[in-house]
Amino acid sequence: MHKTIENLNYIQNQINSKILKLNINNYKPKIIAISKTFKIDHILPLIEHGHRDFGENKVQEALEKWTEIKNKNKDIKLHMVGKLQTNKVKFVLPLFDFIHSLDNLKLAKKISEEQKKYKNKPKIFIQINIGNELQKSGIDKNKFAEFYNECINLGLNIVGTMCLPPADKKPDIYFEEMEKITNILNLNDLSMGMSDDYLTAVDYSSTYLRIGSKIFGARN
């Protein structure tokens, strides 16, 4: 068995045990295998194993890696997890199914304009700057409701919220706040939890866990 499949199975078992302990029914968070920087031969064993959700953060790299594979495998879901520039939107919409990093109104307007050309709208997460960090993008947590309404008016398919908590602090307080924000908006999905804190994210009802190095190993 390929190492990536072993890693994925181990993570899935950990998550299942955690959910069992929490005693929550009908809760099945999805694992997005963050495949950025990894060559396709490293990813193919997971596809052959039946894994369907993958994440990339660079548009050009994703186009080169995934265009052909997605044409052959219609059930693969590709997630844009990196910062998205407005000039890249036209390349993202035909390839990606999910955008996890909607962080400003200019980008929202561009997606709204561009998606009119396609029959499927991307599923979008609003990125919240949950730690109020100057170096991070994202919507101010006090303005998220207003921003959400603007996105709905633009015809965007907003499915949830996303965050990157401060790296130097325990994530619990931020994940708890994200869960509240998502519930206030009455949204179904929450994109949070990465290789170091995905089990904590499960405590706070994350529905999409963005896991890279724990599956693929260290990046070069």
Side-chain angles (χ1 to χ4, degrees):
M1 191 187 282
H2 196 274
K3 183 74 176 140
T4 52
I5 298 170
E6 279 179 20
N7 292 343
L8 182 68
N9 288 343
Y10 173 74
I11 290 164
Q12 192 64 69
N13 289 337
Q14 275 191 312
I15 292 166
N16 292 346
S17 300
K18 180 84 162 181
I19 292 168
L20 211 59
K21 218 182 272 180
L22 293 169
N23 196 18
I24 308 170
N25 294 326
N26 304 322
Y27 172 44
K28 280 192 172 162
K30 283 201 161 117
I31 295 169
I32 304 171
I34 304 295
S35 47
K36 63 181 187 183
T37 77
F38 288 101
K39 298 277 188 281
I40 204 69
D41 57 355
H42 211 63
I43 301 163
L44 280 174
L46 283 183
I47 295 172
E48 282 153 15
H49 175 66
H51 192 72
R52 289 297 170 259
D53 288 272
F54 294 87
E56 295 284 339
N57 73 336
K58 291 206 162 59
V59 178
Q60 193 53 45
E61 183 190 340
L63 285 166
E64 287 162 15
K65 266 159 63 171
W66 289 100
T67 302
E68 193 185 330
I69 287 176
K70 278 203 81 194
N71 285 334
K72 287 182 193 161
N73 300 270
K74 297 293 180 196
D75 50 349
I76 281 179
K77 300 296 177 203
L78 200 56
H79 299 253
M80 177 66 193
V81 295
K83 182 157 181 64
L84 178 55
Q85 309 290 348
T86 50
N87 64 344
K88 295 281 169 60
V89 169
K90 62 179 178 281
F91 304 113
V92 163
L93 293 200
L95 184 66
F96 285 85
D97 305 278
F98 292 79
I99 296 169
H100 287 247
S101 47
L102 175 57
D103 60 0
N104 65 77
L105 192 56
K106 186 183 169 197
L107 179 59
K109 285 175 176 169
K110 186 65 181 172
I111 296 169
S112 169
E113 185 187 307
E114 203 66 36
Q115 73 180 6
K116 293 181 178 119
K117 299 173 191 171
Y118 305 96
K119 63 176 191 288
N120 295 328
K121 292 179 177 181
K123 293 182 168 131
I124 301 174
F125 294 81
I126 295 172
Q127 182 173 345
I128 310 275
N129 187 349
I130 199 65
N132 284 333
E133 297 172 277
L134 293 174
Q135 78 280 17
K136 275 188 192 160
S137 50
I139 302 303
D140 184 310
K141 60 187 175 184
N142 300 313
K143 294 178 182 162
F144 70 85
E146 184 188 327
F147 182 74
Y148 169 74
N149 289 329
E150 286 175 318
C151 291
I152 296 304
N153 291 337
L154 286 167
L156 299 185
N157 182 14
I158 305 293
V159 296
T161 59
M162 179 274 241
C163 79
L164 295 158
D168 55 347
K169 292 181 181 148
K170 282 181 76 174
D172 304 60
I173 182 173
Y174 302 104
F175 287 172
E176 186 180 6
E177 205 171 349
M178 284 298 294
E179 186 182 25
K180 282 180 188 157
I181 286 171
T182 310
N183 288 338
I184 287 167
L185 292 177
N186 214 7
L187 292 166
N188 294 325
D189 286 312
L190 185 44
S191 167
M192 66 184 189
M194 301 199 292
S195 284
D196 291 336
D197 56 17
Y198 59 90
L199 286 175
T200 308
V202 169
D203 280 326
Y204 298 98
S205 314
S206 178
T207 56
Y208 284 91
L209 308 163
R210 310 183 306 269
I211 304 175
S213 55
K214 271 262 164 64
I215 296 172
F216 292 108
R219 289 194 171 81
N220 295 330

